[in-house]
Amino acid sequence: MWKGAIGFGLVSVPVRLYAATQEHGLRLHQVHDADGGRIHLKRICEACGEPVDYEHIAKGFQDDEGHTAVVTQDELAGLPLPSKKLIDVLAFVDADRIDPLQLSNGYYLAPESAAADKPYVLLRETLKQTERVAVTKIALRTRESLALLRVHGDLLTLHTMYWPDEIRDSGDLAPPSSVTVRPQELKMATSLMDTLSEEFDLDELEDEYEIALSELINAHLSDRPVPKKETAPAPDNVIDLMAALQASIDKAAGKTGEETEKGTKREAAPRKSTRSTAKKSAAPQKRTAAKKTAAASSTAKGKKTATSTAKPGTAKSATAKTAKKTATGKSGRRAS
């Protein structure tokens, strides 16, 4: 779209300029809502009331008193432009000195020919090693513009810039200096930034409005029902900043405060059931142990009672019989 040269000092680098960006989107026309007929705009002169062809349209400026200065296209083309075919380097500065607010459209700069490759690479590598950018001037579409020359990958790129006096004064738009934040709030905000930045891929972003617009148009063209999508409401005023930060972190991490609370309750519930189960299982064991203890004590009492009530002769004969049975059992086991 432009052919010229980069000039710094006595060095000249012939280059070609290519548009680096393009705006996507569906082009909508003005139509009559009743029958879909296209609406055409006519250029009507308010002085004579006649339509005017494009070749007879000039530029004009009207002062405060209503006087109009008419400037023709030929007069505009004849204005002197020192940077008409030259990207004139004014200075090389550190990149952080350029306010991104001044940047406008972006363009690729390619070498004009094989002879321009060596000075092109020299300028590119010098800018890269010194981490600097070049402030330049260029004339595009009969208008001189401030521009920034910088390295992008293996290419030099050019960004048109607004002139310093085109940047509006911010005035008193910033919050008052009396407003401060606490260290805890800064820590929470930093944590939220880190969470939102995890696995972020800029190349995966897409224009959701354009997708919805395409679906809407396709529905009209194919006589299908129009899809309805709800727009998320704007957030209310933030009252508790810390709570809002924590809720944002939970949401970005894939779990809300409700899910966290439910998860805590679910984890707490098994512990209660385990304790109750343990109590239930412990109760029968205690009862069983109590029964055994009672039985043992009653048996012991019975033996004492039997021993104390039995006659001496009877006890001796019982003991002899028991010894005899034991001996018989032992001899029987030896025989087998």
Side-chain angles (χ1 to χ4, degrees):
M1 56 174 293
W2 184 92
K3 182 170 70 172
I6 303 172
F8 58 104
L10 298 178
V11 180
S12 179
V13 185
V15 292
R16 287 179 178 267
L17 194 71
Y18 299 89
T21 59
Q22 62 178 4
E23 293 186 2
H24 58 74
L26 300 173
R27 296 184 61 184
L28 301 178
H29 308 286
Q30 292 184 340
V31 296
H32 188 191
D33 59 356
D35 52 20
R38 288 284 297 270
I39 303 297
H40 296 279
L41 302 180
K42 295 183 178 181
R43 301 179 180 90
I44 305 296
C45 175
E46 65 176 14
C48 62
E50 297 292 330
V52 180
D53 295 332
Y54 183 77
E55 60 266 20
H56 295 294
I57 294 178
K59 302 292 184 180
F61 177 81
Q62 190 175 49
D63 62 11
D64 296 337
E65 297 179 358
H67 300 144
T68 301
V70 179
V71 182
T72 64
Q73 296 290 346
D74 293 338
E75 290 175 330
L76 290 174
L79 291 176
L81 285 175
S83 57
K84 192 170 185 178
K85 289 295 180 182
L86 178 67
I87 300 175
D88 187 16
V89 176
L90 305 177
F92 296 95
V93 300
D94 295 334
D96 56 4
R97 285 188 56 185
I98 303 301
D99 187 351
L101 197 61
Q102 285 188 258
L103 300 181
S104 182
N105 296 326
Y107 302 90
Y108 291 135
L109 281 173
E112 164 66 17
S113 61
D117 289 347
K118 184 65 177 284
Y120 183 96
V121 173
L122 175 63
L123 177 58
R124 183 193 67 192
E125 293 304 310
T126 305
L127 289 173
K128 187 183 297 185
Q129 291 184 14
T130 59
E131 297 182 353
R132 292 183 177 182
V133 294
V135 179
T136 69
K137 288 198 302 183
I138 185 174
L140 294 174
R141 300 183 181 92
T142 69
R143 182 181 177 184
E144 189 174 56
S145 174
L146 196 63
L148 181 73
L149 188 66
R150 70 180 186 92
V151 178
H152 178 74
D154 293 332
L155 273 180
L156 293 174
T157 59
L158 187 80
H159 297 266
T160 54
M161 300 173 62
Y162 296 104
W163 295 95
D165 59 354
E166 291 181 314
I167 304 298
R168 293 180 175 179
D169 185 10
S170 60
D172 298 329
L173 300 179
S177 57
S178 59
V179 178
T180 58
V181 293
R182 295 178 296 168
Q184 298 91 330
E185 294 169 339
L186 284 173
K187 186 176 180 180
M188 293 283 288
T190 303
S191 178
L192 175 58
M193 290 181 181
D194 294 339
T195 304
L196 291 175
S197 302
E198 290 178 358
E199 300 180 358
F200 174 74
D201 188 357
L202 186 61
D203 294 334
E204 293 183 356
L205 299 182
E206 56 186 11
D207 189 346
E208 297 181 7
Y209 176 82
E210 184 186 2
I211 295 175
L213 180 60
S214 300
E215 294 176 355
L216 176 63
I217 293 175
N218 290 331
H220 280 296
L221 293 176
S222 57
D223 293 330
R224 290 186 286 106
V226 176
K228 293 182 179 180
K229 293 187 177 181
E230 296 183 357
T231 302
D236 297 332
N237 293 332
V238 177
I239 299 176
D240 189 344
L241 183 57
M242 293 294 288
L245 287 170
Q246 184 61 55
S248 300
I249 293 174
D250 293 339
K251 183 177 181 181
K255 74 166 99 165
T256 60
E258 291 182 2
E259 292 174 344
T260 305
E261 187 178 353
K262 289 179 181 178
T264 305
K265 289 182 178 179
R266 284 195 295 269
E267 291 176 0
R271 294 195 189 102
K272 292 182 179 179
S273 61
T274 303
R275 286 197 296 267
S276 60
T277 305
K279 289 181 180 179
K280 291 179 181 178
S281 60
Q285 292 177 2
K286 289 182 179 179
R287 288 195 296 269
T288 304
K291 287 181 179 179
K292 288 181 178 179
T293 304
S297 61
S298 61
T299 304
K301 288 179 181 179
K303 286 182 179 180
K304 288 181 181 179
T305 305
T307 305
S308 60
T309 55
K311 296 180 179 179
T314 308
K316 289 181 180 178
S317 61
T319 304
K321 290 180 180 180
T322 304
K324 185 176 181 181
K325 288 181 180 180
T326 304
T328 306
K330 288 182 178 179
S331 62
R333 282 196 296 272
R334 289 195 190 99
S336 61

